Amino acid sequence: MREVAVVSFAQSAARREPARNEVEILMPVVTQAVEASGIPRHEIGFTCSGSCDYLAGQAFSFVSAVDALGAWPPIVESHVEMDAAWALYEAWAKIQCGMADSALVFGFGKSSPGEIRDVLTLQLDPYYLAPLWPDTVSLAAIQARVLLESGKASERDLAEVAARSRRDAAANPGAHQRDPSGVDELLARDYLVSPLRVHDCAPISDGAAAVVLAAGDLARKVCDRPAWIRGIDHRIEPHALGLRDLATSPSTRLAAEKAGLGSVPPEVAELHAPFTSQELILREALSLDAGVRVNPSGGALGANVVMAAGLVRIGEAARSIREGEASRALAHATSGPCLQQNLVCLLEAD
Amino acid sequence: MAELCGVIGIGQTRYAAKRGDLSIAGLVREAALRALEDAGLEWKDIDAIVIGKAPDMFEGVMMPELYLADALGAVGKPILRVHTAGSVGGATAIVAASLVQAKIHERVLTVSFEKQSESNAMWALSLKQPFQVHVNAGAGGYFAPHIREYIHRSKAPDNIGILVAYKDRLNALKNPYAHLQIPGVTPEQIEQSPMLWEPIRFLESCPSSDGACAMVLADERNAERSGRSVAWVRGTAMRSEPTMFAGRDEVNPRAGRDCARDLYAQAGITDPRRDFDMAEIYVPFSWFEPMWLENLGFAEEGTGWKMVESGATMLDGDMPVNCSGGVLSSNAIGASGMVRFAEAAIQVRGDAGEHQIDGARLALGHAYGGGSQFFSMWAVSSEKP
């Protein structure tokens, strides 16, 4: 395997963005990531992005994103209709087969124009599940209920995840869900969909994020402390919720094993958990004990740019390495209802 | 050095206006099972799945790979979903090939599909967006001006599009999977069909199809021990350029020319017309055949139509194009690019039946999408590189 590192990361300040369209949000982010990489734009060998037509309400919505790239002369470019963490996976594979030495990866999306919890219902089996119109918060609430009834967690545990995430998000300029409330204060609030309260759910965020990857010597040349991707893998579970034990995440566990997590714990873990209950499920699947600093960025509970939030986890984990806060970090991305599909990326300093 | 990659199994559904007999899952499964059977493999032998399709609004299912995970035997495995507009079927195959070439996986199943009867592509392409030019005419209305510009520049006679359509419709009669099959079709019948978007007539246009295509790709060791004939991947290339900017040449886009040049360099091709034994080119409207012949370097600029007129691209010509009947005969949009790639592989494996080119050794698969701005191509050969 070739050595590949994250050499730069940029993101917009996530928030509701009624005034700017996706390309306007994306353009400065891409420019910032490319400039920070130290690799001239026209020398970047591959570009790959992740986004979703159903957020924009438009077929081929990713096409206009090419306008944000300065794609002239024409570029080698691809797109996944997935969180951009999977675009990073495609780019990593492209570098592995020697067809590029560097790659620009980005994700973007605006959740605020639609009702994201209803829009995500369209991900469900179109014949047997979607017509019942279960929204994504309700499905997550079922999952949270299964977790609580398994005895592995309490509502107080959920609130503790929320309080920590909101506190950490306050220090992250990329996040916007900031709140100094304590656990007791949060627990006194009403349910949104029992057992989930508003603070158990990710906020509605619009935004974009971009990462530049570089291989071996190029990474060393442009970056003082590259965040090396030591392993990356992703796995999927059955779609029908009735076929899964929702209180566990076997696909996360398997992806971590394949990515080479092993027995050495990371110092930092950035987990893509849009619901507090999901963070607890992921921590167990990854065997993260109390010594691991989880989501210092505030995680998806601090900002949840759908289609970029997974890539942001990789970017934040890489940042913690590049800034010397950690020498081994784990990043995770998820897709689908109730953590159906999961990606794990292990990053290390030299 | 990248690992070699070969196609060892190919499966297609019968393309049709409406496959009411199958769910979306059933449709992709039909193609996938045929590919596995062709490769002599079972679900458990597959390491990863790469799936592609055009916009999710064509079926009304968002990121359908989530729901299709079970039907594609993906549970517990990696599954990637590619979407690069009309070129997606080709791009999907290229991503799948890269997983093998990178030595990440040994055997990858790649699938692409569209079930256009579930929704309405014209509607899905015509949603009005703020601050954007509203195209309410579907793909034909978008591309017709490009064709008119081509005719203006090249001074091609009016009947070239009809010749292309006639050829592809004859070829489709030899392909059991083709959607549009018009026995006894004549050039006059094509000429008299309704004019939809000047100069594109009804029978010079692609249909809307339901269908899926799948391939099993394997590394060198697994390809050789498969006991199957192998279509070796000799090169893959992709290029993108923005939809519109001043001075952009939409008739002969640079992204297509650059993509072909990249591909030919990888595959050691110096004269495509001499070196390739056949080509499957993405031609959704008849006139795109001469346009792409020029863009791909099979003909000098302005002379692609002469190549068509001479009969060179017919089944018995010196450079047969779209022996399967092409996109003009079957257009399950998300699959159409992969069908081009697969038909090229079928030819070099010698499996094309009635539309086989005798002794085909090297073939081109080509796809394009968006406003003629996304390109994906591969070259496959019966000979190991």
Side-chain angles (χ1 to χ4, degrees), chain B residues 219-231:
Chain B
D219 62 9
E220 184 176 11
R221 188 178 66 94
N222 284 285
E224 292 204 317
R225 73 176 199 186
S226 69
R228 269 37 190 193
S229 55
V230 180

Side-chain angles (χ1 to χ4, degrees), chain B residues 17-79:
Chain B
K18 188 177 175 73
R19 286 293 302 265
D21 57 323
L22 293 173
S23 63
I24 297 170
L27 189 76
V28 294
R29 214 174 146 82
E30 184 172 290
L33 280 168
R34 286 175 180 171
L36 285 174
E37 190 188 0
D38 187 27
L41 298 177
E42 296 174 32
W43 295 108
K44 66 174 172 45
D45 301 317
I46 297 299
D47 301 327
I49 294 93
V50 182
I51 183 168
K53 67 175 300 297
D56 292 356
M57 286 171 188
F58 285 2
E59 286 82 13
V61 187
M62 176 180 177
M63 300 156 76
E65 64 281 1
L66 295 165
Y67 136 72
L68 293 171
D70 304 74
L72 287 170
V75 169
K77 297 176 184 176
I79 180 169

Side-chain angles (χ1 to χ4, degrees), chain A residues 195-217:
Chain A
L196 300 178
R197 298 172 169 88
V198 168
H199 57 256
D200 290 311
C201 309
I204 307 292
S205 315
D206 304 334
V211 154
V212 174
L213 301 179
D217 289 343

Side-chain angles (χ1 to χ4, degrees), chain A residues 54 57-60 62 71 74-77 79-82 90 99 122 127 234-236 238-239 340-341, chain B residues 24 57 60 62-63 66-67 70 74 76-79 81 83 85 95 124-125 129 132 236 238-242:
Chain A
Y54 266 99
Q58 180 190 23
F60 297 121
F62 64 91
I75 58 171
V76 184
E77 186 258 350
H79 173 263
V80 296
E81 194 84 353
M82 308 176 84
E90 183 182 329
M99 298 177 89
L122 294 169
Y127 304 100
H234 60 100
R235 303 281 153 166
I236 197 165
H239 182 67
Q340 189 194 347
Q341 186 177 24
Chain B
I24 297 170
M57 286 171 188
M62 176 180 177
M63 300 156 76
L66 295 165
Y67 136 72
D70 304 74
K77 297 176 184 176
I79 180 169
R81 157 69 194 289
H83 179 20
V95 173
L125 289 173
Q129 292 289 317
Q132 290 186 16
T236 65
M238 293 172 71
R239 285 295 185 282
S240 308
E241 68 184 41

Side-chain angles (χ1 to χ4, degrees), chain B residues 189-205:
Chain B
Q189 189 181 350
I190 294 166
E191 188 173 6
Q192 286 157 20
S193 68
M195 185 64 80
L196 299 183
W197 310 274
E198 178 83 37
I200 309 169
R201 295 172 179 83
F202 179 69
L203 285 177
E204 293 179 77
S205 307

Side-chain angles (χ1 to χ4, degrees), chain A residues 31 63 70 79 111 121 124 150 154 201 206 229-230 240 261 270-271 318 321 343:
Chain A
T31 302
V63 172
H79 173 263
S111 299
T121 303
L124 304 174
S150 73
S154 64
C201 309
D206 304 334
I229 297 173
R230 297 297 188 208
L261 177 60
E270 280 283 342
L271 307 180
I321 287 174
L343 178 146

Side-chain angles (χ1 to χ4, degrees), chain A residues 122-170:
Chain A
L122 294 169
Q123 288 181 333
L124 304 174
D125 179 324
Y127 304 100
Y128 296 109
L129 199 48
L132 303 172
W133 214 254
D135 69 89
T136 190
V137 177
S138 301
L139 292 176
I142 291 172
Q143 184 176 35
R145 180 61 67 196
V146 173
L147 177 71
L148 295 181
E149 292 192 352
S150 73
K152 290 192 248 186
S154 64
E155 288 188 36
R156 174 164 286 272
D157 294 329
L158 303 187
E160 280 172 1
V161 170
R164 191 206 69 230
S165 300
R166 291 174 163 225
R167 211 166 43 235
D168 287 337

